[in-house]
PDB file of all heavy atoms in Angstrom:
ATOM      1  N   THR M   1      -3.667  -3.131  -9.322  1.00 87.00           N
ATOM      2  CA  THR M   1      -3.434  -2.291  -8.152  1.00 87.00           C
ATOM      3  C   THR M   1      -2.111  -2.532  -7.434  1.00 87.00           C
ATOM      4  O   THR M   1      -1.360  -1.600  -7.165  1.00 87.00           O
ATOM      5  CB  THR M   1      -4.585  -2.494  -7.137  1.00 87.00           C
ATOM      6  OG1 THR M   1      -5.831  -2.202  -7.767  1.00 87.00           O
ATOM      7  CG2 THR M   1      -4.414  -1.586  -5.932  1.00 87.00           C
ATOM      8  N   ASP M   2      -1.824  -3.773  -7.093  1.00 87.00           N
ATOM      9  CA  ASP M   2      -0.830  -4.083  -6.073  1.00 87.00           C
ATOM     10  C   ASP M   2       0.550  -3.469  -6.341  1.00 87.00           C
ATOM     11  O   ASP M   2       1.077  -2.716  -5.517  1.00 87.00           O
ATOM     12  CB  ASP M   2      -0.708  -5.597  -5.917  1.00 87.00           C
ATOM     13  CG  ASP M   2      -0.093  -5.990  -4.590  1.00 87.00           C
ATOM     14  OD1 ASP M   2      -0.709  -5.713  -3.550  1.00 87.00           O
ATOM     15  OD2 ASP M   2       1.009  -6.554  -4.591  1.00 87.00           O
ATOM     16  N   ASN M   3       1.149  -3.775  -7.475  1.00 90.00           N
ATOM     17  CA  ASN M   3       2.494  -3.271  -7.746  1.00 90.00           C
ATOM     18  C   ASN M   3       2.524  -1.750  -7.843  1.00 90.00           C
ATOM     19  O   ASN M   3       3.428  -1.099  -7.314  1.00 90.00           O
ATOM     20  CB  ASN M   3       3.037  -3.892  -9.036  1.00 90.00           C
ATOM     21  CG  ASN M   3       3.443  -5.342  -8.862  1.00 90.00           C
ATOM     22  OD1 ASN M   3       3.773  -5.777  -7.759  1.00 90.00           O
ATOM     23  ND2 ASN M   3       3.406  -6.107  -9.940  1.00 90.00           N
ATOM     24  N   THR M   4       1.527  -1.180  -8.510  1.00 93.00           N
ATOM     25  CA  THR M   4       1.476   0.277  -8.633  1.00 93.00           C
ATOM     26  C   THR M   4       1.275   0.942  -7.278  1.00 93.00           C
ATOM     27  O   THR M   4       1.909   1.960  -6.978  1.00 93.00           O
ATOM     28  CB  THR M   4       0.348   0.698  -9.592  1.00 93.00           C
ATOM     29  OG1 THR M   4       0.557   0.081 -10.859  1.00 93.00           O
ATOM     30  CG2 THR M   4       0.315   2.201  -9.761  1.00 93.00           C
ATOM     31  N   ALA M   5       0.410   0.371  -6.460  1.00 95.00           N
ATOM     32  CA  ALA M   5       0.147   0.946  -5.139  1.00 95.00           C
ATOM     33  C   ALA M   5       1.410   0.985  -4.293  1.00 95.00           C
ATOM     34  O   ALA M   5       1.711   2.005  -3.652  1.00 95.00           O
ATOM     35  CB  ALA M   5      -0.936   0.129  -4.424  1.00 95.00           C
ATOM     36  N   HIS M   6       2.153  -0.118  -4.282  1.00 95.00           N
ATOM     37  CA  HIS M   6       3.396  -0.130  -3.508  1.00 95.00           C
ATOM     38  C   HIS M   6       4.428   0.817  -4.116  1.00 95.00           C
ATOM     39  O   HIS M   6       5.228   1.420  -3.381  1.00 95.00           O
ATOM     40  CB  HIS M   6       3.942  -1.552  -3.416  1.00 95.00           C
ATOM     41  CG  HIS M   6       3.167  -2.426  -2.483  1.00 95.00           C
ATOM     42  ND1 HIS M   6       3.178  -2.238  -1.111  1.00 95.00           N
ATOM     43  CD2 HIS M   6       2.341  -3.482  -2.710  1.00 95.00           C
ATOM     44  CE1 HIS M   6       2.395  -3.142  -0.539  1.00 95.00           C
ATOM     45  NE2 HIS M   6       1.877  -3.900  -1.486  1.00 95.00           N
ATOM     46  N   GLY M   7       4.395   0.977  -5.445  1.00 95.00           N
ATOM     47  CA  GLY M   7       5.283   1.945  -6.075  1.00 95.00           C
ATOM     48  C   GLY M   7       4.951   3.369  -5.662  1.00 95.00           C
ATOM     49  O   GLY M   7       5.843   4.163  -5.331  1.00 95.00           O
ATOM     50  N   ILE M   8       3.666   3.716  -5.665  1.00 97.00           N
ATOM     51  CA  ILE M   8       3.234   5.050  -5.233  1.00 97.00           C
ATOM     52  C   ILE M   8       3.653   5.301  -3.791  1.00 97.00           C
ATOM     53  O   ILE M   8       4.233   6.349  -3.464  1.00 97.00           O
ATOM     54  CB  ILE M   8       1.703   5.184  -5.368  1.00 97.00           C
ATOM     55  CG1 ILE M   8       1.281   5.163  -6.836  1.00 97.00           C
ATOM     56  CG2 ILE M   8       1.214   6.473  -4.692  1.00 97.00           C
ATOM     57  CD1 ILE M   8      -0.223   5.030  -7.041  1.00 97.00           C
ATOM     58  N   ALA M   9       3.361   4.345  -2.923  1.00 97.00           N
ATOM     59  CA  ALA M   9       3.661   4.514  -1.502  1.00 97.00           C
ATOM     60  C   ALA M   9       5.162   4.598  -1.248  1.00 97.00           C
ATOM     61  O   ALA M   9       5.618   5.398  -0.412  1.00 97.00           O
ATOM     62  CB  ALA M   9       3.054   3.352  -0.707  1.00 97.00           C
ATOM     63  N   THR M  10       5.941   3.795  -1.961  1.00 97.00           N
ATOM     64  CA  THR M  10       7.391   3.812  -1.776  1.00 97.00           C
ATOM     65  C   THR M  10       7.978   5.158  -2.174  1.00 97.00           C
ATOM     66  O   THR M  10       8.791   5.738  -1.444  1.00 97.00           O
ATOM     67  CB  THR M  10       8.055   2.691  -2.597  1.00 97.00           C
ATOM     68  OG1 THR M  10       7.589   1.422  -2.136  1.00 97.00           O
ATOM     69  CG2 THR M  10       9.570   2.746  -2.464  1.00 97.00           C
ATOM     70  N   VAL M  11       7.575   5.670  -3.319  1.00 97.00           N
ATOM     71  CA  VAL M  11       8.134   6.938  -3.790  1.00 97.00           C
ATOM     72  C   VAL M  11       7.734   8.086  -2.866  1.00 97.00           C
ATOM     73  O   VAL M  11       8.575   8.914  -2.485  1.00 97.00           O
ATOM     74  CB  VAL M  11       7.697   7.217  -5.237  1.00 97.00           C
ATOM     75  CG1 VAL M  11       8.096   8.634  -5.654  1.00 97.00           C
ATOM     76  CG2 VAL M  11       8.318   6.198  -6.191  1.00 97.00           C
ATOM     77  N   ILE M  12       6.461   8.130  -2.477  1.00 98.00           N
ATOM     78  CA  ILE M  12       6.032   9.174  -1.543  1.00 98.00           C
ATOM     79  C   ILE M  12       6.809   9.072  -0.234  1.00 98.00           C
ATOM     80  O   ILE M  12       7.297  10.078   0.303  1.00 98.00           O
ATOM     81  CB  ILE M  12       4.520   9.082  -1.286  1.00 98.00           C
ATOM     82  CG1 ILE M  12       3.731   9.436  -2.541  1.00 98.00           C
ATOM     83  CG2 ILE M  12       4.107  10.009  -0.123  1.00 98.00           C
ATOM     84  CD1 ILE M  12       2.242   9.189  -2.420  1.00 98.00           C
ATOM     85  N   GLY M  13       6.925   7.865   0.283  1.00 97.00           N
ATOM     86  CA  GLY M  13       7.633   7.671   1.543  1.00 97.00           C
ATOM     87  C   GLY M  13       9.088   8.068   1.463  1.00 97.00           C
ATOM     88  O   GLY M  13       9.627   8.729   2.375  1.00 97.00           O
ATOM     89  N   ARG M  14       9.766   7.687   0.386  1.00 96.00           N
ATOM     90  CA  ARG M  14      11.185   8.008   0.233  1.00 96.00           C
ATOM     91  C   ARG M  14      11.407   9.512   0.071  1.00 96.00           C
ATOM     92  O   ARG M  14      12.373  10.064   0.604  1.00 96.00           O
ATOM     93  CB  ARG M  14      11.769   7.264  -0.972  1.00 96.00           C
ATOM     94  CG  ARG M  14      11.888   5.760  -0.791  1.00 96.00           C
ATOM     95  CD  ARG M  14      12.737   5.402   0.395  1.00 96.00           C
ATOM     96  NE  ARG M  14      12.914   3.964   0.534  1.00 96.00           N
ATOM     97  CZ  ARG M  14      13.304   3.354   1.648  1.00 96.00           C
ATOM     98  NH1 ARG M  14      13.553   4.074   2.742  1.00 96.00           N
ATOM     99  NH2 ARG M  14      13.439   2.053   1.686  1.00 96.00           N
ATOM    100  N   LEU M  15      10.537  10.172  -0.668  1.00 97.00           N
ATOM    101  CA  LEU M  15      10.693  11.612  -0.844  1.00 97.00           C
ATOM    102  C   LEU M  15      10.329  12.374   0.427  1.00 97.00           C
ATOM    103  O   LEU M  15      11.057  13.267   0.867  1.00 97.00           O
ATOM    104  CB  LEU M  15       9.823  12.098  -2.010  1.00 97.00           C
ATOM    105  CG  LEU M  15      10.242  11.664  -3.409  1.00 97.00           C
ATOM    106  CD1 LEU M  15       9.220  12.139  -4.442  1.00 97.00           C
ATOM    107  CD2 LEU M  15      11.629  12.189  -3.762  1.00 97.00           C
ATOM    108  N   ALA M  16       9.213  12.008   1.049  1.00 96.00           N
ATOM    109  CA  ALA M  16       8.746  12.740   2.228  1.00 96.00           C
ATOM    110  C   ALA M  16       9.608  12.492   3.454  1.00 96.00           C
ATOM    111  O   ALA M  16       9.588  13.285   4.400  1.00 96.00           O
ATOM    112  CB  ALA M  16       7.294  12.360   2.532  1.00 96.00           C
ATOM    113  N   SER M  17      10.363  11.399   3.459  1.00 95.00           N
ATOM    114  CA  SER M  17      11.217  11.101   4.616  1.00 95.00           C
ATOM    115  C   SER M  17      12.482  11.957   4.638  1.00 95.00           C
ATOM    116  O   SER M  17      13.211  11.975   5.636  1.00 95.00           O
ATOM    117  CB  SER M  17      11.605   9.621   4.635  1.00 95.00           C
ATOM    118  OG  SER M  17      12.379   9.295   3.491  1.00 95.00           O
ATOM    119  N   ASP M  18      12.743  12.661   3.550  1.00 95.00           N
ATOM    120  CA  ASP M  18      13.917  13.528   3.457  1.00 95.00           C
ATOM    121  C   ASP M  18      13.438  14.919   3.036  1.00 95.00           C
ATOM    122  O   ASP M  18      13.049  15.126   1.885  1.00 95.00           O
ATOM    123  CB  ASP M  18      14.908  12.960   2.437  1.00 95.00           C
ATOM    124  CG  ASP M  18      16.223  13.729   2.401  1.00 95.00           C
ATOM    125  OD1 ASP M  18      16.178  14.981   2.332  1.00 95.00           O
ATOM    126  OD2 ASP M  18      17.295  13.091   2.416  1.00 95.00           O
ATOM    127  N   ARG M  19      13.445  15.857   3.958  1.00 93.00           N
ATOM    128  CA  ARG M  19      12.881  17.178   3.675  1.00 93.00           C
ATOM    129  C   ARG M  19      13.590  17.871   2.517  1.00 93.00           C
ATOM    130  O   ARG M  19      12.966  18.623   1.749  1.00 93.00           O
ATOM    131  CB  ARG M  19      12.949  18.053   4.936  1.00 93.00           C
ATOM    132  CG  ARG M  19      12.078  19.310   4.841  1.00 93.00           C
ATOM    133  CD  ARG M  19      10.610  18.944   4.683  1.00 93.00           C
ATOM    134  NE  ARG M  19       9.839  20.002   4.025  1.00 93.00           N
ATOM    135  CZ  ARG M  19       8.566  19.896   3.698  1.00 93.00           C
ATOM    136  NH1 ARG M  19       7.898  18.792   3.940  1.00 93.00           N
ATOM    137  NH2 ARG M  19       7.933  20.896   3.108  1.00 93.00           N
ATOM    138  N   GLN M  20      14.876  17.615   2.361  1.00 95.00           N
ATOM    139  CA  GLN M  20      15.610  18.237   1.268  1.00 95.00           C
ATOM    140  C   GLN M  20      15.108  17.727  -0.085  1.00 95.00           C
ATOM    141  O   GLN M  20      14.952  18.499  -1.041  1.00 95.00           O
ATOM    142  CB  GLN M  20      17.103  17.955   1.418  1.00 95.00           C
ATOM    143  CG  GLN M  20      17.965  18.701   0.416  1.00 95.00           C
ATOM    144  CD  GLN M  20      19.453  18.522   0.688  1.00 95.00           C
ATOM    145  OE1 GLN M  20      19.857  17.767   1.563  1.00 95.00           O
ATOM    146  NE2 GLN M  20      20.279  19.217  -0.064  1.00 95.00           N
ATOM    147  N   ARG M  21      14.837  16.419  -0.151  1.00 96.00           N
ATOM    148  CA  ARG M  21      14.313  15.850  -1.395  1.00 96.00           C
ATOM    149  C   ARG M  21      12.924  16.414  -1.694  1.00 96.00           C
ATOM    150  O   ARG M  21      12.610  16.749  -2.836  1.00 96.00           O
ATOM    151  CB  ARG M  21      14.223  14.324  -1.291  1.00 96.00           C
ATOM    152  CG  ARG M  21      15.553  13.625  -1.154  1.00 96.00           C
ATOM    153  CD  ARG M  21      15.344  12.114  -1.105  1.00 96.00           C
ATOM    154  NE  ARG M  21      16.582  11.416  -0.825  1.00 96.00           N
ATOM    155  CZ  ARG M  21      16.707  10.097  -0.741  1.00 96.00           C
ATOM    156  NH1 ARG M  21      15.625   9.332  -0.925  1.00 96.00           N
ATOM    157  NH2 ARG M  21      17.872   9.535  -0.486  1.00 96.00           N
ATOM    158  N   TRP M  22      12.097  16.485  -0.654  1.00 96.00           N
ATOM    159  CA  TRP M  22      10.735  16.995  -0.815  1.00 96.00           C
ATOM    160  C   TRP M  22      10.751  18.441  -1.302  1.00 96.00           C
ATOM    161  O   TRP M  22      10.020  18.822  -2.219  1.00 96.00           O
ATOM    162  CB  TRP M  22       9.997  16.873   0.516  1.00 96.00           C
ATOM    163  CG  TRP M  22       8.519  17.120   0.466  1.00 96.00           C
ATOM    164  CD1 TRP M  22       7.844  18.214   0.915  1.00 96.00           C
ATOM    165  CD2 TRP M  22       7.515  16.230  -0.050  1.00 96.00           C
ATOM    166  NE1 TRP M  22       6.498  18.064   0.722  1.00 96.00           N
ATOM    167  CE2 TRP M  22       6.256  16.855   0.129  1.00 96.00           C
ATOM    168  CE3 TRP M  22       7.556  14.969  -0.639  1.00 96.00           C
ATOM    169  CZ2 TRP M  22       5.058  16.268  -0.257  1.00 96.00           C
ATOM    170  CZ3 TRP M  22       6.363  14.382  -1.029  1.00 96.00           C
ATOM    171  CH2 TRP M  22       5.131  15.022  -0.838  1.00 96.00           C
ATOM    172  N   GLN M  23      11.622  19.249  -0.684  1.00 96.00           N
ATOM    173  CA  GLN M  23      11.708  20.659  -1.062  1.00 96.00           C
ATOM    174  C   GLN M  23      12.229  20.813  -2.489  1.00 96.00           C
ATOM    175  O   GLN M  23      11.827  21.734  -3.212  1.00 96.00           O
ATOM    176  CB  GLN M  23      12.623  21.410  -0.092  1.00 96.00           C
ATOM    177  CG  GLN M  23      12.548  22.931  -0.224  1.00 96.00           C
ATOM    178  CD  GLN M  23      11.150  23.472   0.071  1.00 96.00           C
ATOM    179  OE1 GLN M  23      10.520  23.098   1.060  1.00 96.00           O
ATOM    180  NE2 GLN M  23      10.656  24.346  -0.815  1.00 96.00           N
ATOM    181  N   GLN M  24      13.109  19.910  -2.879  1.00 96.00           N
ATOM    182  CA  GLN M  24      13.674  19.987  -4.228  1.00 96.00           C
ATOM    183  C   GLN M  24      12.592  19.852  -5.301  1.00 96.00           C
ATOM    184  O   GLN M  24      12.591  20.587  -6.292  1.00 96.00           O
ATOM    185  CB  GLN M  24      14.740  18.908  -4.420  1.00 96.00           C
ATOM    186  CG  GLN M  24      15.480  19.001  -5.749  1.00 96.00           C
ATOM    187  CD  GLN M  24      16.546  17.931  -5.886  1.00 96.00           C
ATOM    188  OE1 GLN M  24      16.368  16.791  -5.449  1.00 96.00           O
ATOM    189  NE2 GLN M  24      17.676  18.281  -6.490  1.00 96.00           N
ATOM    190  N   VAL M  25      11.658  18.916  -5.110  1.00 97.00           N
ATOM    191  CA  VAL M  25      10.603  18.755  -6.124  1.00 97.00           C
ATOM    192  C   VAL M  25       9.533  19.836  -5.988  1.00 97.00           C
ATOM    193  O   VAL M  25       8.816  20.122  -6.953  1.00 97.00           O
ATOM    194  CB  VAL M  25       9.966  17.345  -6.078  1.00 97.00           C
ATOM    195  CG1 VAL M  25      10.946  16.320  -6.594  1.00 97.00           C
ATOM    196  CG2 VAL M  25       9.472  16.988  -4.699  1.00 97.00           C
TER     197      VAL M  25
END
């Protein structure tokens, strides 16, 4: 769980924190 969970959360956080990145995907 641990490494994957932090990976999931990091990627979601990084993408969602920038609306342009979120809209791109």
Side-chain angles (χ1 to χ4, degrees):
T1 303
D2 200 64
N3 286 334
T4 303
H6 286 291
I8 293 169
T10 298
V11 171
I12 292 172
R14 290 302 183 198
L15 291 176
S17 63
D18 186 312
R19 194 62 205 176
Q20 187 174 5
R21 295 182 186 181
W22 191 254
Q23 192 61 47
Q24 186 179 37
V25 289

